[in-house]
Amino acid sequence: MEASEVVKIFDTTLRDGEQSPGATMTIEEKLQVAEQLVTLRVDCIEAGFPAASPDDLAAVREIARRTKGVAVAALARATAGDIDAAWDAIREAERPVIHVFLATSDIHLQHKLNISREEALQRVKTMVARARAYCPTVEFSAEDATRSDRDFLCQVFDVAIKAGASIINVPDTVGYSTPGEYEALFHYVSAHVPGIEQVTLSAHCHDDLGMATANTLAAIRAGARQVEVTINGIGERAGNTALEEVVMALRTRPEAFGVETRVQAEQLLDASRVVSRVTGLPVQPNKAIVGLNAFAHEAGIHQDGVLKHALTYEIMTPQSVGWGDTNLVLGKHSGRHGLDARLRKLGYRLSAEQLKYAYKSFIAMAERQKTVVDHDLVYIAECMQETPSAV
Ligand code: KIV
Ligand code: ZN
């Protein structure tokens, strides 16, 4: 079988993820997350933004020193001070990356940076070259790329590549793009930037309209070979693309994408739990892959199907992402088959008559208390042993 191409996972949980309101982590907590990311086998950890504060610089430095077997990136604005701080923080990493960014949309150039397009081009040239003089790998990001003039964006990328950037990132900073537009932008950049075939194209999406994962996957179809993602999709405002969603989409639908990652998917749930614990940001129950209900079935028809053959309602196994068994939740939507299966697991084999009464009692209980736990089922089953209809 032909080995498919690899998409690199650039994890920015510790940088963009930490920018989620309330997600601040201590150095110890960041080290724990970094360790989990190594176990997960991401390709690059963006450890922070050293110019932001002395604490950030210290955390990035510690991660760069202690984390082995993975690239470690530090973010820098396109200024000499930021680039020097970034290098100071990551110089001891096995594979250091300086990640330089400058906004390229007119909205940002005029209202935030107050500089002309010409000045922006000059800044990119001198600052990427400065970073490259320190560090063998430099990534350049055009902040707000998706709202930038396309031809100007291509000019900026051309300058960045000539100055030494080997990774070119096309961020959808404000989560504005649609999958079709984002895919087309990658094709446009690939067709119009000289030397683009020599560098790695990267996708970085935010989830303001709930399209971050779809946009990231569209970029992969258009040739992106690095994706910037966070565990649980945490990040600025509505968050970034969720790592676990991209990894499992590529794995579950190989015919749609034809690429893979090096991620150990069985570690996804552990990674999710560590990040949730240290940031204090809970994972919504219906979150894809890592939410409590991601592999839970309550409706009777679904439970019956899953009991007959898991593929009826499960497109991946819970074990493949770190969960135990499928979770058949017993509630008022559950059917008799689901109840019988759970009672058998608990050691009770009821006759058809007993099961009929047990099911009645169970529905009455579920209506009173939303879900019925094993302890309640044991009570119902025990009553059936004495007199069916007695509960
Ligand atoms: O969203 C964004 O544009 C960023 C850049 C710094 C890459 O996070
Ligand atoms: Zn971002």
Side-chain angles (χ1 to χ4, degrees):
M1 197 172 66
E2 250 180 59
S4 53
E5 255 187 278
V6 169
V7 171
K8 288 193 173 160
I9 299 291
F10 177 106
D11 182 279
T12 183
T13 306
L14 294 173
R15 198 279 296 171
D16 223 333
E18 208 209 13
Q19 290 174 214
S20 311
T24 312
M25 295 170 247
T26 64
I27 294 191
E28 273 319 308
E29 289 168 338
K30 287 184 181 179
L31 283 164
Q32 258 183 59
V33 172
E35 201 179 305
Q36 187 61 48
L37 292 172
V38 173
T39 310
L40 196 57
R41 295 198 58 205
V42 305
D43 297 279
C44 182
I45 295 175
E46 185 165 50
F49 182 13
S53 73
D55 275 0
D56 257 51
L57 191 144
V60 177
R61 186 182 285 141
E62 244 358 82
I63 292 167
R65 269 187 193 147
R66 294 208 223 164
T67 312
K68 303 294 169 208
V70 66
V72 177
L75 184 69
R77 285 167 297 194
T79 67
D82 273 29
I83 289 167
D84 294 355
W87 179 241
D88 187 17
I90 53 159
R91 62 196 310 157
E92 291 177 57
E94 247 174 32
R95 274 182 273 148
V97 178
I98 300 183
H99 178 188
V100 181
F101 76 98
L102 186 71
T104 50
S105 66
D106 289 334
I107 303 173
H108 279 240
L109 291 177
Q110 287 166 18
H111 301 291
K112 186 181 82 174
L113 299 172
N114 200 18
I115 59 172
S116 65
R117 287 185 179 181
E118 258 324 301
E119 286 169 297
L121 286 170
Q122 196 51 39
R123 284 260 283 269
V124 172
K125 183 175 170 185
T126 51
M127 291 305 143
V128 170
R130 187 183 187 96
R132 183 65 189 83
Y134 288 131
C135 187
T137 308
V138 175
E139 167 168 338
F140 174 73
S141 286
E143 192 189 12
D144 207 17
T146 52
R147 292 192 301 167
S148 301
D149 176 82
R150 282 182 168 195
D151 293 320
F152 177 61
L153 183 66
C154 290
Q155 254 184 297
V156 170
F157 287 154
D158 180 25
V159 167
I161 293 169
K162 290 199 171 102
S166 55
I167 303 169
I168 290 293
N169 185 31
V170 189
D172 184 28
T173 303
V174 289
Y176 181 73
S177 206
T178 65
E181 286 165 1
Y182 201 51
E183 187 167 347
L185 182 59
F186 275 75
H187 284 306
Y188 194 85
V189 167
S190 300
H192 292 88
V193 177
I196 198 83
E197 62 292 343
Q198 316 286 348
V199 306
T200 302
L201 268 178
S202 182
H204 178 116
C205 300
H206 282 267
D207 207 28
D208 300 66
L209 292 173
M211 292 191 278
T213 298
N215 285 340
T216 298
L217 293 169
I220 290 173
R221 286 169 62 90
R225 287 297 173 265
Q226 174 176 283
V227 292
E228 309 198 356
V229 290
T230 62
I231 303 289
N232 299 338
I234 65 170
E236 270 301 331
R237 307 181 308 279
N240 288 62
T241 305
L243 179 151
E244 59 277 7
E245 293 175 10
V246 174
V247 166
M248 291 315 291
L250 297 181
R251 193 150 301 178
T252 309
R253 299 298 312 276
E255 75 292 354
F257 302 104
V259 291
E260 58 194 12
T261 70
R262 297 195 184 90
V263 165
Q264 294 292 116
E266 304 73 24
Q267 295 293 326
L268 286 170
L269 184 61
D270 280 358
S272 164
R273 286 184 170 158
V274 168
V275 169
S276 178
R277 191 171 63 240
V278 303
T279 57
L281 298 175
V283 177
Q284 76 201 53
N286 58 323
K287 169 78 185 64
I289 321 292
V290 293
L292 199 59
N293 292 348
F295 294 91
H297 307 271
E298 185 185 316
I301 295 171
H302 290 216
Q303 291 190 346
D304 183 45
V306 168
L307 286 165
K308 287 178 174 145
H309 197 305
L311 274 182
T312 52
Y313 290 102
E314 282 183 353
I315 57 169
M316 47 200 151
T317 66
Q319 293 84 355
S320 68
V321 298
W323 291 97
D325 271 348
T326 297
N327 179 10
L328 298 185
V329 178
L330 293 182
K332 68 174 184 178
H333 301 115
S334 305
R336 206 175 292 188
H337 192 171
L339 174 66
D340 188 33
R342 179 67 67 86
L343 287 172
R344 282 168 189 262
K345 265 199 174 164
L346 294 171
Y348 296 97
R349 283 174 174 271
L350 304 192
S351 67
E353 184 71 359
Q354 284 174 321
L355 188 61
K356 196 172 101 191
Y357 285 112
Y359 185 66
K360 260 192 175 165
S361 315
F362 156 74
I363 290 294
M365 197 178 262
E367 265 164 3
R368 285 198 304 272
Q369 60 190 47
K370 278 199 174 165
T371 52
V372 178
V373 296
D374 285 353
H375 177 80
D376 301 319
L377 295 178
V378 169
Y379 172 72
I380 292 174
E382 287 295 333
C383 292
M384 291 306 125
Q385 311 301 313
E386 290 163 19
T387 33
S389 84
V391 191

